[in-house]
Amino acid sequence: MTMPKPNSVSRHIVLTSHPSRFGPKPIPIHWGAADAMQRGPIIATLTQQAHRNVIGTHSGSYAIYRALAVASGALQSDHRADLTNTSPIERIGPHPSWADPDKIVSLDPFGAIAPEVFASYYEQGYDIRPTIAITTAHINMPELQDAVAKGRLQVDGQIMKPNGDLVVTKAAIEPVWYLPGVAKRFGISEGDLRRALFEQTGGMFPELVTRSDLEVFLPPIGGLTVYIVGDLAAITDPDKPVAVRVHDECNGSDVFGSDICTCRPYLVHGIEVCVQTAQSGGVGIIVYFRKEGRALGEVTKFLVYNARKRQVGGDRADAYFTRTECVAGVQDMRFQELMPDVLHWLGITRIDRMVSMSNMKYNAITEAGIEIRERVAIPDDLIPQDARVEIEAKKAAGYYTTGDVLDIGGLADVKGRSLE
């Protein structure tokens, strides 16, 4: 008789479970409730299947690596995290926006303090894990040292250290989607959203179409990281300036310095503006989303690079997005509708300096009820020569806005027009 390997899956796996008519029901989630216990915990762990009250699991796309660790025997499938001393280094919230089910639909506002506010459930054996972690750190980028050398930034010993270290508070956030709210944000039915998610993941999450009672989904996608420069209390202080750069990942430029786009230069310029704002008594915030290649992915992006460079006449602004559409079917899949949620989580109601000229980002933020008083463009001398095709293409497509800067109450407010 052949015995199964120690780490092989030899037990029956239930792909879709339904609540028993007579068995225990999962703890309900009342999205948008101001009180954490009334809202209910997000239970996405697999240690007790009957406790789960959401679709999906923790860690986004990294859940696949966890599966490999379990399959290989490196990790016990019933491992329960020891969360001793993992609580946030800095406190964020709660803010009034946490209790508005229309303002936050793509993350759990209680995600950083879940072990604290749901301690009674945890003590009863519920495996509740944070979906947000907050810590402090130093970051060091050569461009910032250059800004200090040229006098654009000052070493103050608190925010900017003499060795070029920048002191930041940072938060890592996993996506947690409240499906009725996400559907409403996009103006579609929840049924259509669930069906598309089910089909486009190859049926990976059957509960999307079989468990309408589960309204929260942890999608297997990358999350985001927030870097805060300066005093967190200034975020909600009406007398303190707030600078924000919302940045979508570009590995080639952000990490390796590719000069075909403006991503790293704009990111660094955003950090510089954030430091200047913090040093003037305010706060600067960088929000870094994992949406590589306009959320089309890096493979698609490189295919488009090849197509652009090989076309007749070489890389041209007028064909920039055409080549993208030929490969991907659309110009952009970032869909900024969900982006403002993190700003609401932080308690932001006004942005004095928005380091972006993107109309998509501007419209999403202002339509979410957050005022933007100034839009800061990337300085022309920071645009790499090979990236000028991108700039011209985005201007022609209406990505960017230019306009007069008007002084209102001592702050600048851009009344822009789209370059269609």
Side-chain angles (χ1 to χ4, degrees):
M1 179 178 178
T2 303
M3 298 297 292
K5 295 180 180 179
N7 294 321
S8 66
V9 179
S10 57
R11 65 183 183 277
H12 176 65
I13 298 176
V14 179
L15 293 179
T16 306
S17 59
H18 296 269
S20 167
R21 176 181 297 180
F22 304 106
K25 305 293 189 219
I27 297 170
I29 296 173
H30 302 287
W31 196 267
D35 177 76
M37 287 295 286
Q38 182 182 357
R39 201 292 305 272
I42 300 295
I43 307 176
T45 45
L46 303 168
T47 51
Q48 291 286 340
Q49 287 284 348
H51 291 172
R52 286 170 49 82
N53 60 0
V54 302
I55 302 166
T57 186
H58 291 291
S59 302
S61 57
Y62 290 99
I64 303 302
Y65 290 103
R66 185 172 64 240
L68 286 176
V70 171
S72 67
L75 174 67
Q76 294 297 314
S77 61
D78 60 352
H79 171 73
R80 187 175 180 184
D82 179 355
L83 300 174
T84 304
N85 293 330
T86 62
S87 58
I89 298 296
E90 297 283 354
R91 305 291 294 194
I92 294 176
H95 299 294
S97 52
W98 291 22
D100 188 334
D102 289 328
K103 286 187 175 179
I104 298 180
V105 300
S106 62
L107 60 87
D108 176 12
F110 299 104
I113 54 175
E116 171 188 329
V117 295
F118 300 118
S120 61
Y121 283 124
Y122 194 84
E123 292 167 359
Q124 294 175 52
Y126 287 90
D127 191 356
I128 299 169
R129 303 187 188 182
T131 57
I132 300 175
I134 305 171
T135 190
T136 55
H138 292 166
I139 62 174
N140 196 313
M141 303 176 74
E143 293 94 334
L144 297 181
Q145 297 180 36
D146 183 62
V148 170
K150 292 179 178 178
R152 295 196 307 271
L153 294 180
Q154 304 298 318
V155 172
D156 56 39
Q158 298 296 319
I159 295 172
M160 181 66 72
K161 300 288 187 176
N163 64 352
D165 281 351
L166 177 62
V167 180
V168 300
T169 298
K170 61 181 182 179
I173 302 175
E174 292 181 3
V176 177
W177 288 7
Y178 174 57
L179 293 174
V182 172
K184 182 178 179 181
R185 191 75 62 85
F186 281 89
I188 59 178
S189 72
E190 183 184 345
D192 286 345
L193 173 64
R194 285 174 174 267
R195 174 61 62 179
L197 289 170
F198 171 72
E199 292 178 348
Q200 295 303 313
T201 56
M204 186 182 297
F205 301 98
E207 293 89 352
L208 285 166
V209 293
T210 64
R211 293 290 302 274
S212 60
D213 60 307
L214 300 181
E215 296 184 324
V216 175
F217 175 44
L218 275 61
I221 60 175
L224 62 123
T225 310
V226 180
Y227 293 84
I228 305 172
V229 184
D231 184 8
L232 272 65
I235 295 175
T236 55
D237 189 332
D239 297 322
K240 301 291 181 66
V242 177
V244 173
R245 164 71 182 166
V246 175
H247 190 91
D248 295 314
E249 180 181 27
C250 177
N251 182 67
S253 179
D254 295 343
V255 179
F256 294 100
S258 171
D259 63 355
I260 199 171
C261 63
T262 59
C263 295
R264 182 180 173 98
Y266 220 154
L267 174 61
V268 173
H269 181 57
I271 296 173
E272 190 172 323
V273 172
C274 286
V275 174
Q276 292 169 345
T277 304
Q279 290 181 331
S280 67
V283 63
I285 300 165
I286 301 291
V287 182
Y288 194 92
F289 280 90
R290 295 331 189 276
K291 294 180 180 178
E292 177 66 59
R294 288 187 240 117
L296 302 172
E298 205 165 32
V299 169
T300 294
K301 182 164 73 171
F302 287 9
L303 293 175
V304 173
Y305 283 168
N306 290 343
R308 283 168 47 194
K309 293 172 182 177
R310 288 171 174 165
Q311 64 191 345
V312 176
D315 197 4
R316 311 190 316 270
D318 64 330
Y320 182 92
F321 287 113
T322 301
R323 298 311 302 150
T324 302
E325 288 182 346
C326 288
V327 176
V330 295
Q331 294 182 5
D332 196 317
M333 286 200 301
R334 284 175 293 181
F335 299 113
Q336 302 292 355
E337 284 86 348
L338 302 179
M339 174 266 290
D341 288 21
V342 64
L343 306 180
H344 287 306
W345 175 69
L346 290 166
I348 294 173
T349 57
R350 186 201 71 254
I351 298 173
D352 297 293
R353 307 190 73 192
M354 179 70 187
V355 191
S356 172
M357 294 303 288
S358 165
N359 288 338
M360 294 174 66
K361 294 175 183 177
Y362 175 85
N363 292 339
I365 292 171
T366 55
E367 288 171 7
I370 298 173
E371 177 188 5
I372 294 178
R373 308 205 70 182
E374 180 187 358
R375 300 169 74 174
V376 181
I378 184 172
D380 190 67
D381 60 354
L382 293 183
I383 301 174
Q385 186 59 41
D386 279 358
R388 294 193 176 274
V389 170
E390 174 206 17
I391 292 294
E392 294 305 314
K394 287 185 174 180
K395 284 181 180 178
Y399 264 64
Y400 286 93
T401 290
T402 61
D404 298 327
V405 179
L406 305 178
D407 189 41
I408 299 178
L411 291 171
D413 184 25
V414 173
K415 299 300 182 183
R417 59 186 182 277
S418 187
L419 295 177
E420 296 293 342

Short mmCIF file of all heavy atoms in Angstrom, two decimals, residues 405-413:
data_model
loop_
_atom_site.label_atom_id
_atom_site.label_comp_id
_atom_site.label_asym_id
_atom_site.label_seq_id
_atom_site.Cartn_x
_atom_site.Cartn_y
_atom_site.Cartn_z
N VAL A 405 -2.06 79.89 -11.38
CA VAL A 405 -2.06 79.68 -9.94
C VAL A 405 -2.60 80.93 -9.28
O VAL A 405 -2.05 82.02 -9.41
CB VAL A 405 -0.64 79.38 -9.43
CG1 VAL A 405 -0.66 79.17 -7.92
CG2 VAL A 405 -0.08 78.15 -10.11
N LEU A 406 -3.72 80.79 -8.58
CA LEU A 406 -4.37 81.93 -7.95
C LEU A 406 -4.14 81.88 -6.45
O LEU A 406 -4.20 80.81 -5.84
CB LEU A 406 -5.88 81.89 -8.25
CG LEU A 406 -6.25 81.83 -9.73
CD1 LEU A 406 -7.77 81.73 -9.85
CD2 LEU A 406 -5.73 83.03 -10.48
N ASP A 407 -3.88 83.02 -5.85
CA ASP A 407 -3.65 83.08 -4.42
C ASP A 407 -4.98 83.29 -3.70
O ASP A 407 -5.66 84.29 -3.92
CB ASP A 407 -2.69 84.23 -4.09
CG ASP A 407 -2.27 84.19 -2.63
OD1 ASP A 407 -2.02 83.09 -2.13
OD2 ASP A 407 -2.19 85.26 -2.01
N ILE A 408 -5.35 82.32 -2.87
CA ILE A 408 -6.61 82.41 -2.13
C ILE A 408 -6.30 82.18 -0.65
O ILE A 408 -5.90 81.09 -0.26
CB ILE A 408 -7.63 81.36 -2.62
CG1 ILE A 408 -7.95 81.61 -4.09
CG2 ILE A 408 -8.88 81.40 -1.78
CD1 ILE A 408 -8.91 80.60 -4.66
N GLY A 409 -6.45 83.21 0.13
CA GLY A 409 -6.22 83.08 1.56
C GLY A 409 -4.79 82.72 1.90
O GLY A 409 -4.52 82.02 2.87
N GLY A 410 -3.85 83.15 1.07
CA GLY A 410 -2.45 82.89 1.35
C GLY A 410 -1.95 81.57 0.81
O GLY A 410 -0.78 81.25 0.92
N LEU A 411 -2.84 80.77 0.21
CA LEU A 411 -2.44 79.50 -0.37
C LEU A 411 -2.76 79.52 -1.86
O LEU A 411 -3.63 80.24 -2.32
CB LEU A 411 -3.16 78.33 0.30
CG LEU A 411 -2.75 78.07 1.75
CD1 LEU A 411 -3.70 77.04 2.37
CD2 LEU A 411 -1.32 77.56 1.80
N ALA A 412 -2.04 78.71 -2.61
CA ALA A 412 -2.22 78.70 -4.06
C ALA A 412 -3.25 77.66 -4.45
O ALA A 412 -3.26 76.56 -3.94
CB ALA A 412 -0.89 78.40 -4.74
N ASP A 413 -4.11 78.04 -5.38
CA ASP A 413 -5.13 77.13 -5.86
C ASP A 413 -5.09 77.13 -7.38
O ASP A 413 -5.22 78.17 -8.01
CB ASP A 413 -6.52 77.59 -5.38
CG ASP A 413 -7.61 76.61 -5.78
OD1 ASP A 413 -7.27 75.43 -5.98
OD2 ASP A 413 -8.76 77.03 -5.89
#
